[in-house]
Amino acid sequence: MNKSDMRKLFVIGMGPGDLGLVAPNALAALQHCSDLVAYGYYLELLGTQLMQGKSHHNLPLGEESNRARLALDLAAQGKPTALISSGDIGIYAMATLVFELIDRQLEGREKHPEWLEVEIEVIPGISAMQAGASRVGAILGHDFCTISLSDLLTPWQTIDKRIHAAGQGDFVVSFYNPVSKKRDWQLNHARDVLLQYRPATTPVLIGRQLTRPDETIRLTTLAELDASQVDMFTMVSVGNSESRHIVNGQQEWIYTPRGYSKKLA
Ligand SMILES: C[S@@+](CC[C@H](N)C(=O)[O-])C[C@H]1O[C@@H](n2cnc3c(N)ncnc32)[C@H](O)[C@@H]1O
């Protein structure tokens, strides 16, 4: 073990699920680590060989802040540790909690001065919206935004305001957390808001379990989008008013033009 690894926390995004889409830097960092802190499902997806010889700390969903605390504690004890999320760990995932805890410690609201001795390195991963976009061509080809439809931590009024703003700005929108076991009406509401700003025929991608063995891809239109077509393993990208759905025999694609049409003419 390198001396600089003595108090090291790697904050790693493992990509959407396919081991081939994990960054080489992430795999190299995992080799250094003695301890992995992650929701077990993500590691199962990537295969057990990644976990061999390492202590796996599998805190359940809902235990996010304890997971971040544990990762900082382990790293502060001198165990090179990886805190792992799916997709990109900076997008609706664990990285922000780590820095919130560090911020709180810096302000004296935590009692863990040892956390400030930990060297933190964030390693990015491919997010679900990118995995989905690659499956259908280039739906994120122009300005886009992501909106999480989970109102667990964000007031619904804020989410609603952002959907309207995305509609007014004609952004391609990727919806994360479109439904959960306890909530199912938000996606249809979001659809109805966007229909105020863009055509009913706007192309939509519904990507479920992207890059995983049971992946499904569905192309539809904004008017036909319905919450019954999604679950919590699904990401929905809605094109902007210029996005196009094209079919070439067996292959079909969605792309969002960048304005090359005049140059191509
Ligand atoms: C808490 S967010 C985590 C996002 C993740 N950090 C990322 O960058 O993809 C969970 C939501 O991400 C989306 N998601 C994550 N991985 C996915 C995948 N492989 N296929 C489809 N949607 C996925 C779903 O909308 C899911 O409800």
Side-chain angles (χ1 to χ4, degrees):
M1 189 193 311
N2 189 314
K3 192 157 184 273
S4 64
D5 287 339
M6 290 298 283
R7 292 185 176 192
K8 182 99 186 192
L9 175 60
F10 293 98
V11 178
I12 302 178
M14 296 296 281
D18 180 349
L19 188 55
L21 295 178
V22 181
N25 285 7
L27 294 174
L30 287 179
Q31 287 199 327
H32 275 291
C33 291
S34 59
D35 289 68
L36 310 181
V37 182
Y39 178 53
Y41 177 60
Y42 300 144
L43 292 182
E44 279 165 33
L45 274 171
L46 294 165
T48 44
Q49 86 261 28
L50 283 182
M51 293 188 266
Q52 261 166 23
K54 302 182 188 299
S55 304
H56 177 203
H57 308 269
N58 177 10
L59 276 68
L61 285 180
E63 291 281 318
E64 280 73 27
S65 65
N66 285 338
R67 222 180 290 153
R69 285 175 184 280
L70 176 63
L72 283 165
D73 286 344
L74 290 165
Q77 288 161 21
K79 298 175 179 165
T81 299
L83 176 64
I84 299 169
S85 286
S86 76
D88 186 287
I89 195 158
I91 299 180
Y92 307 126
M94 295 296 300
T96 188
L97 259 170
V98 169
F99 295 107
E100 212 167 320
L101 289 173
I102 295 290
D103 190 9
R104 285 172 59 89
Q105 176 58 41
L106 286 167
E107 291 190 336
R109 290 187 286 144
E110 294 285 336
K111 295 192 171 53
H112 296 279
E114 70 279 10
W115 287 349
L116 302 183
E117 303 300 318
V118 174
E119 188 190 338
I120 301 172
E121 181 175 340
V122 183
I123 300 179
I126 293 172
S127 189
M129 66 183 159
Q130 294 163 285
S134 72
R135 288 295 197 242
V136 294
I139 191 170
L140 303 180
H142 209 307
D143 298 337
F144 64 89
C145 65
T146 67
I147 298 178
S148 167
L149 292 180
S150 170
D151 57 0
L152 208 60
L153 301 170
T154 308
W156 176 251
Q157 292 91 321
T158 304
I159 300 171
D160 189 41
K161 193 168 77 178
R162 290 179 182 162
I163 301 167
H164 276 278
Q168 281 160 7
D170 199 22
F171 287 92
V172 177
V173 192
S174 294
F175 290 112
Y176 283 65
N177 303 303
V179 296
S180 77
K181 281 182 189 146
K182 292 187 187 150
R183 100 193 134 70
D184 63 359
W185 57 267
Q186 287 89 344
L187 183 65
N188 288 353
H189 177 90
R191 173 201 62 203
D192 293 341
V193 170
L194 290 182
L195 279 169
Q196 296 171 31
Y197 301 97
R198 58 190 76 172
T201 53
T202 301
V204 171
L205 156 70
I206 303 174
R208 180 172 188 278
Q209 296 280 44
L210 288 156
T211 83
R212 299 174 186 170
D214 47 348
E215 172 183 277
T216 56
I217 304 281
R218 183 167 176 168
L219 276 53
T220 185
T221 62
L222 187 54
E224 283 166 5
L225 175 65
D226 190 84
S228 63
Q229 300 155 344
V230 307
D231 65 11
M232 59 196 288
F233 301 106
T234 309
M235 185 275 327
V236 177
S237 287
V238 180
N240 72 13
S241 60
E242 296 187 4
S243 298
R244 307 240 325 136
H245 176 196
I246 57 174
V247 180
N248 176 25
Q250 297 290 308
Q251 299 197 92
E252 49 182 329
W253 307 107
I254 299 174
Y255 77 98
T256 300
R258 290 188 64 205
Y260 282 114
S261 56
K262 286 190 201 107
K263 295 198 175 208
L264 292 173

